[in-house]
């Protein structure tokens, strides 16, 4: 019996995936565990494995974006008629998702005049230039709009006219994000093009307008999610910021001494992670999150460390950081950072953070503020260490100063709590021997 494969939700925040490459083609024999395709999610590039034996009978999307739970492929016996399985699973969504599969070329072609019919001017001119009767060319309102089932459902509930919209999905298909944008900008919805437009190019395109050249680069799944999550955080959680200068002179000396015996070279970021973990143990309110109905104080300390990659930021999580040694933290950060840069982090390696650290000191940044990384209530922005004159015992000396800024969700954390956490952090980094006791 033919089995319909749908796009799985491969991370907790995933709404759609991007098919990068298929490792199997239609007609190939498939076994359980075989890698069918590589899928770019909002967090990583992951392998899509088969749960069935048989032959690959149908591919819904050869390359490009596909929504979660949309029909992706069909696996069955060689020569089996898979169309009945597609129809039972929702044939409309299957054919609308399939922009490049030669086995369903006819349904795709039949949609081209439907798009043309969606523009009143095009329809009128077509009727004037043909001898067909109106009945033979009439297209029902439910079938002439190229949109995903989810987009149609949301539009119906919100009273959005899909005929007046231009889609950003494969071959101009209207998808969920298009309808959500229309809901937020009622009265400013883009008009549907009067002619069938070509599918958006995968590569960036240079355009000249009024003598100026610019480039539109397609958004990756990761960048889309970064934009959505940080916008939600910034405009939902009331942020406030507390900044403190820390004299890292003794930490500089301690790190140099430890690196003479450490199995790997410790970084200043490792010291910051360890100090934050110990400070969080003393200030559990900073290790909390807002649930909407309650403030959740987390008993475990799992610190997310922001890692810059080519398409944005990933935040691998160091679990139980308060009970790990500096060498263990160093090894784990290096391992996860390399996996992040290779886009091979798994969802469980980026989930469960209770606090986050973002360090731009290595880029020469003195200080900055960071947007809280949900579900945390706080994030620490760490600047670089600079030599500055400091006064000690009435004398001017050269100190190694590092500025840190704590961004706090005011629904959970008050100013005094944030300041007390930074005081504890400052004490640990200015007397690093305390982290070894």
């Amino acid at each position: 019996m033919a089995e319909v494969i749908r796009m799985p939700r491969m991370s907790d925040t995933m709404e759609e995936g991007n098919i990068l490459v298929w490792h199997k083609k239609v007609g190939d024999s498939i076994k359980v565990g075989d890698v069918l395709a590589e899928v770019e999610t909002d967090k990583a590039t992951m392998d899509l494995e088969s749960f069935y034996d048989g032959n690959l009978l149908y591919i819904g999307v050869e390359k490009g974006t596909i929504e979660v739970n949309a029909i992706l492929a069909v696996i069955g016996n060689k020569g089996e008629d898979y169309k009945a399985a597609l129809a039972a699973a929702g044939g409309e969504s299957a054919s609308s998702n399939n922009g490049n599969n030669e086995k369903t070329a006819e349904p795709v072609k039949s949609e081209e005049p439907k798009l043309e019919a969606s523009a009143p001017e095009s329809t009128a001119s077509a009727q004037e230039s043909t001898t067909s009767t109106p009945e033979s060319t009439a297209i029902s309102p439910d079938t002439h709009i190229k949109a995903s089932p989810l987009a149609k459902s949301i539009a119906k509930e919100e009273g959005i006219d899909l005929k007046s919209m231009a889609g950003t999905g494969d071959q101009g298909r209207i998808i969920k994000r298009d309808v959500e944008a229309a809901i937020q900008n009622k009265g400013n919805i883009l008009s549907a093009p009067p002619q069938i437009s070509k599918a958006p190019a995968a590569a960036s395109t240079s355009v000249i307008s009024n003598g100026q050249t610019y480039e539109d680069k397609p958004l990756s799944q990761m960048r889309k999610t970064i934009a959505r999550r940080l916008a939600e955080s910034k405009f939902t959680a009331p942020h406030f910021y507390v900044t403190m200068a820390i004299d890292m002179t003794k930490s500089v000396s301690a790190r140099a001494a430890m690196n003479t015996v450490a199995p790997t070279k410790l970084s200043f970021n490792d010291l910051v992670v360890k100090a934050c973990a110990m400070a969080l143990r003393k200030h559990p309110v900073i290790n909390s999150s807002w649930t909407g109905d309650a403030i959740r104080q987390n008993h475990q300390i799992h610190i997310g460390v922001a890692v810059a990659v080519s398409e944005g930021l990933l935040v691998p999580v160091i679990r139980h950081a308060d009970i790990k040694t500096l060498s263990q933290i160093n090894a784990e950060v290096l391992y996860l950072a390399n996996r992040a840069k290779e886009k091979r982090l798994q969802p469980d390696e980026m989930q469960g953070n209770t606090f986050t650290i973002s360090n731009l000191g290595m880029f020469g940044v003195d200080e900055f503020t960071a947007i809280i990384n949900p579900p945390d209530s706080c994030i620490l922005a760490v600047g670089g260490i600079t030599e500055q004159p400091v006064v000690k015992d009435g004398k001017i000396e050269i100190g190694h100063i590092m500025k840190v800024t704590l961004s706090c969700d005011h629904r959970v954390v008050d100013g005094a709590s944030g300041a007390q956490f930074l005081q504890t952090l400052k004490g640990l980094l200015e007397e690093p021997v305390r982290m070894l006791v």
Side-chain angles (χ1 to χ4, degrees), residues 141-436:
D142 292 333
T143 59
H144 77 278
I145 299 172
K146 195 172 184 181
S148 71
L150 181 58
K152 289 181 179 179
S153 175
I154 297 175
K156 184 177 180 181
E157 291 178 1
E158 298 292 336
I160 299 296
D161 184 6
L162 294 180
K163 290 185 289 186
S164 63
M165 294 179 58
T168 61
D170 189 32
Q171 294 186 338
R173 182 166 168 259
I174 298 171
I175 57 178
K176 178 185 176 184
R177 65 168 174 262
D178 300 321
V179 180
E180 290 177 338
I183 294 171
Q184 294 177 359
N185 301 282
K186 282 188 177 181
N188 190 31
I189 302 174
L190 294 174
S191 299
Q195 298 180 356
I196 301 171
S197 59
K198 295 181 180 179
S204 58
T205 304
S206 296
V207 181
I208 298 178
S209 176
N210 297 327
Q212 295 183 346
T213 303
Y214 62 89
E215 204 171 21
D216 287 339
K217 295 187 176 181
L219 294 174
S220 66
Q221 299 302 311
M222 183 188 302
R223 178 52 66 183
K224 291 177 187 176
T225 301
I226 290 172
R228 176 176 55 82
R229 284 173 59 83
L230 292 185
E232 289 175 356
S233 174
K234 181 65 175 177
F235 298 113
T236 301
H239 287 52
F240 75 90
Y241 310 96
V242 184
T243 300
M244 188 171 286
I246 299 174
D247 188 347
M248 295 287 287
T249 302
K250 290 186 178 179
S251 283
V252 170
S253 300
R255 173 178 174 265
M258 287 186 285
N259 277 339
T260 61
V261 295
T264 57
K265 297 298 181 183
L266 302 177
S267 70
F268 287 111
N269 199 59
D270 300 328
L271 296 176
V272 173
V273 171
K274 180 64 176 179
C276 283
M278 295 180 68
L280 288 171
R281 182 59 66 196
K282 293 185 177 182
H283 302 277
V285 68
I286 307 298
N287 199 49
S288 303
S289 56
W290 177 265
T291 66
D293 298 320
I295 294 175
R296 178 174 297 162
Q297 285 198 359
N298 300 292
H299 295 159
Q300 286 74 37
I301 295 174
H302 303 322
I303 296 183
V305 179
V307 176
V309 296
S310 59
E311 295 177 351
L313 284 175
L314 291 176
V315 186
V317 179
I318 310 300
R319 301 186 185 281
H320 306 289
D322 57 320
I323 60 175
K324 289 181 176 176
T325 65
L326 286 167
S327 293
Q328 288 174 324
I329 290 172
N330 172 268
E332 196 165 337
V333 168
L334 288 176
Y335 170 75
L336 292 173
N338 287 332
R339 284 176 62 81
K341 291 173 182 177
E342 296 169 358
K343 294 189 69 177
R344 291 295 175 184
L345 280 175
Q346 296 303 301
D348 62 332
E349 294 173 319
M350 296 181 283
Q351 296 174 2
N353 48 288
T354 61
F355 184 84
T356 302
I357 296 172
S358 180
N359 191 338
L360 293 180
M362 66 285 295
F363 297 107
V365 174
D366 292 332
E367 63 177 306
F368 67 103
T369 57
I371 299 175
I372 296 169
N373 179 37
D376 302 347
S377 61
C378 295
I379 182 172
L380 186 74
V382 182
I385 299 174
T386 59
E387 291 187 348
Q388 297 180 24
V390 297
V391 178
K392 292 183 179 179
D393 299 325
K395 297 180 180 180
I396 298 177
E397 300 179 1
I398 298 298
H400 296 78
I401 304 302
M402 180 180 74
K403 289 185 177 180
V404 297
T405 299
L406 185 69
S407 303
C408 305
D409 182 346
H410 218 325
R411 298 173 300 180
V412 180
V413 179
D414 295 324
S417 300
Q420 290 164 0
F421 169 81
L422 287 185
Q423 285 179 336
T424 301
L425 178 67
K426 178 183 174 76
L428 290 168
L429 289 172
E430 290 188 343
E431 297 291 343
V433 69
R434 294 170 56 188
M435 289 189 280
L436 306 177

